[in-house]
């Protein structure tokens, strides 16, 4: 008869796959021998509860959190309305100075300088937002 205490949660296939990936990665890194990997994978796919899965990776380091790529993505614009407003204002000002340059005469392209600094300000804003999101991330070891 199995233990069905209320504190135990049944393991889903996604839980088993996540732990199996961790075990396989540890084997590929040389942290586990081939026999240990095989034994743990057998126990992973035989596990019925999440606490049985947790025991299999307690001596392995947690995977590092994914590092963000380019700070200005559609996802970051969707999550941060202030960043969206900043980008809209920067684009509006850039269009304004370029139109002014075109209307007043095509001499030296001076709008390159303010447009450059507007782009730098938007990228810096996006970078600061991405650092704030990762501040609460767990240390991988």
């Amino acid at each position: 008869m199995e233990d069905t205490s209320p504190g135990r949660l049944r393991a889903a296939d996604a839980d088993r796959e996540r732990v199996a990936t961790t075990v396989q990665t540890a084997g590929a890194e040389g942290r586990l021998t081939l026999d240990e990997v095989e034994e743990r994978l057998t126990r992973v796919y035989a596990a019925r509860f999440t606490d049985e899965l947790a025991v299999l990776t307690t001596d392995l380091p947690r995977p590092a959190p994914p590092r963000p790529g380019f700070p200005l993505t559609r996802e970051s614009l969707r999550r941060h309305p202030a960043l969206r407003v900043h980008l809209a204002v920067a684009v509006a000002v850039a269009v304004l100075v370029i139109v002014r340059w075109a209307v007043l005469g095509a001499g030296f392209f001076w709008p390159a300088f303010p447009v450059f600094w507007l782009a730098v300000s938007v990228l810096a804003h996006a970078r600061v937002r991405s650092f704030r999101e990762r501040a609460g991330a767990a240390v991988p070891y």
Side-chain angles (χ1 to χ4, degrees):
M1 196 156 141
E2 70 183 64
D3 180 22
T4 57
S5 62
R8 295 183 83 185
L9 293 174
R10 286 216 176 248
D13 289 338
D15 298 328
R16 289 186 197 90
E17 287 302 320
R18 181 180 41 79
V19 173
T21 302
T22 303
V23 169
Q24 289 169 344
T25 302
E29 292 173 346
R31 298 182 192 276
L32 299 173
T33 64
L34 215 49
D35 293 333
E36 288 174 320
V37 171
E38 185 178 333
E39 174 192 338
R40 288 189 190 202
L41 286 176
T42 303
R43 289 176 56 193
V44 164
Y45 290 115
R48 298 178 77 178
F49 296 98
T50 55
D51 58 344
E52 296 170 2
L53 292 173
V55 172
L56 299 172
T57 58
T58 55
D59 60 340
L60 300 175
R62 287 185 228 119
R67 296 198 39 97
F70 189 68
L72 194 58
T73 61
R74 288 180 193 252
E75 183 62 31
S76 66
L77 290 173
R78 197 174 304 123
R79 277 196 313 262
H80 304 295
L83 189 57
R84 212 175 19 231
V85 169
H86 189 163
L87 181 63
V89 168
V91 168
V93 170
V95 167
L96 248 160
V97 295
I98 291 173
V99 166
R100 180 172 178 180
W101 170 79
V103 168
L104 292 181
F108 173 71
F109 187 67
W110 59 266
F113 299 110
V115 169
F116 170 76
W117 288 112
L118 286 168
V120 167
S121 72
V122 169
L123 290 175
H125 187 177
R127 189 74 170 164
V128 167
R129 290 282 181 178
S130 70
F131 279 134
R132 284 186 186 164
E133 285 178 358
R134 290 188 299 143
V139 178
Y141 292 102

